[in-house]
Amino acid sequence: MTSVDDDVFDRQKRVRGWNQDALERSRVLVVGAGALGNEVLKLLLQLGARKITIVDNDSIVKANLNRCVFFTPEDAERGTLKVDALKREAKRLFPQADVLALPKLIEQLPESFYDGFDCAFGCLDNLGARLHLNAFAYGKVPLIDGGTTGFLGKVQVVDAPSACLECGLAKRDYKLLWLKYSCTGDEIDWLNPKMPALPTTTSVVAGMQVEEFLKLLFSQAEGAPKDMLEAAAEHSLVGKYLLYDALRREARVFEIPKRKTCPVHG
Ligand SMILES: [Zn+2]
């Protein structure tokens, strides 16, 4: 006789509306293997997601170690590729998972690459790559985009025909587009400081990103309970932007109007 304590996922299966099968069957894309990518991957693996593709062409440096749970000081010494370290640690800690590591820029992957995923997580540190992902994923796969700077975090969910990331861009953001932010120190415009980044904000934002994925996934599954469907319909972040401020301990949600002249779908 097996005890409930022998099932890794027993406690989460007790959550109303939980659908472990849907989670284990899902195909998930994580774009960016930095702080948010580490944390999103950790949560997906702990929850039992199995088919995960990670894209990033960057190498590990010491300054990554304060907020990237899967990277080691040896990785920073050797300059290990971020995606290789994630695949290695996923295999060691969660052997049932099938992690595909792609050491590429997201801009190098064709449109057909996005076919067949249930969700894409934007875990990027620069606006150019974010907008590329937004444009290519739109209409193909829901995008859950996260970002942090110091004590501030943001989560935005795009699921066509909703507004997209580009709909919500102010003119100021187009100027920032040309400034390359990076947590490695490479290719940084010398006029711009490195982005301030905290592991605490990273955990909160990554947690909210993965929760939005669970709501989307579970509410689409057969037999989803009424309260799960209501939460997904009335309180989802699709077409919205959540701004989290840890100092004020508040999270505000803004509706993003769909822009008729948006280059992605206008
Ligand atoms: Zn748009």
Side-chain angles (χ1 to χ4, degrees):
M1 204 165 84
T2 55
S3 153
V4 291
D5 286 343
D6 288 334
D7 179 356
V8 173
F9 305 116
D10 173 75
R11 301 306 188 263
Q12 68 198 42
K13 286 177 183 170
R14 292 165 188 260
V15 174
R16 196 168 140 74
W18 196 263
N19 191 329
Q20 192 66 29
D21 288 341
L23 192 52
E24 290 179 14
R25 277 198 312 269
S26 66
R27 282 191 66 210
V28 181
L29 171 63
V30 179
V31 184
L36 281 175
N38 267 256
E39 198 66 21
V40 163
L41 178 68
K42 185 203 79 176
L43 292 170
L44 290 171
L45 292 167
Q46 284 178 321
L47 291 167
R50 293 179 178 213
K51 297 167 198 160
I52 306 169
T53 299
I54 309 172
V55 181
D56 196 312
N57 79 333
D58 216 354
S59 303
I60 297 165
V61 297
K62 267 190 190 171
N64 300 140
L65 300 182
N66 79 325
R67 60 200 183 284
C68 295
V69 69
F70 289 127
F71 299 165
T72 67
E74 291 73 33
D75 288 327
E77 289 294 322
R78 293 191 197 116
T80 308
L81 281 167
K82 290 179 177 177
V83 289
D84 287 348
L86 291 184
K87 187 180 168 72
R88 177 196 71 212
E89 293 303 301
K91 198 171 181 180
R92 185 172 71 85
L93 296 162
F94 304 90
Q96 76 283 5
D98 179 13
V99 173
L100 176 64
L102 292 178
K104 288 181 183 296
L105 289 169
I106 190 64
E107 291 92 334
Q108 293 172 312
L109 296 164
E111 208 167 342
S112 58
F113 169 73
Y114 297 85
D115 295 334
F117 287 110
D118 295 295
C119 177
F121 287 95
C123 301
L124 293 154
D125 61 0
N126 73 88
L127 192 55
R130 238 189 208 115
L131 292 184
H132 180 92
L133 173 61
N134 172 63
F136 275 62
Y138 195 84
K140 293 206 159 199
V141 55
L143 170 63
I144 304 179
D145 187 65
T148 74
T149 177
F151 283 111
L152 294 175
K154 65 147 265 191
V155 181
Q156 188 173 346
V157 183
V158 177
D159 191 6
S162 77
C164 74
L165 298 192
E166 190 132 356
C167 288
L169 276 186
K171 278 182 185 163
R172 183 182 59 85
D173 294 315
Y174 282 104
K175 288 182 188 161
L176 290 174
L177 178 59
W178 306 107
L179 302 176
K180 168 82 180 166
Y181 290 118
S182 157
C183 62
T184 66
D186 293 333
E187 295 181 60
I188 282 187
D189 185 314
W190 66 273
L191 288 170
N192 292 284
K194 293 177 175 66
M195 294 293 276
L198 295 170
T200 47
T201 315
T202 301
S203 289
V204 172
V205 169
M208 288 194 285
Q209 285 181 276
V210 175
E211 284 164 354
E212 289 308 307
F213 164 59
L214 296 176
K215 281 194 280 180
L216 284 177
L217 186 72
F218 293 169
S219 63
Q220 286 160 6
E222 215 174 300
K226 198 164 157 267
D227 51 356
M228 176 69 72
L229 292 170
E230 278 173 5
E234 292 171 28
H235 304 288
S236 92
L237 281 180
V238 172
K240 294 175 189 164
Y241 179 110
L242 181 147
L243 181 66
Y244 169 73
D245 183 337
L247 290 179
R248 291 179 175 79
R249 189 60 63 216
E250 66 179 15
R252 291 185 187 184
V253 176
F254 303 91
E255 189 103 27
I256 304 287
K258 193 170 177 183
R259 192 150 58 94
K260 279 190 183 137
T261 54
C262 175
V264 173
H265 48 74

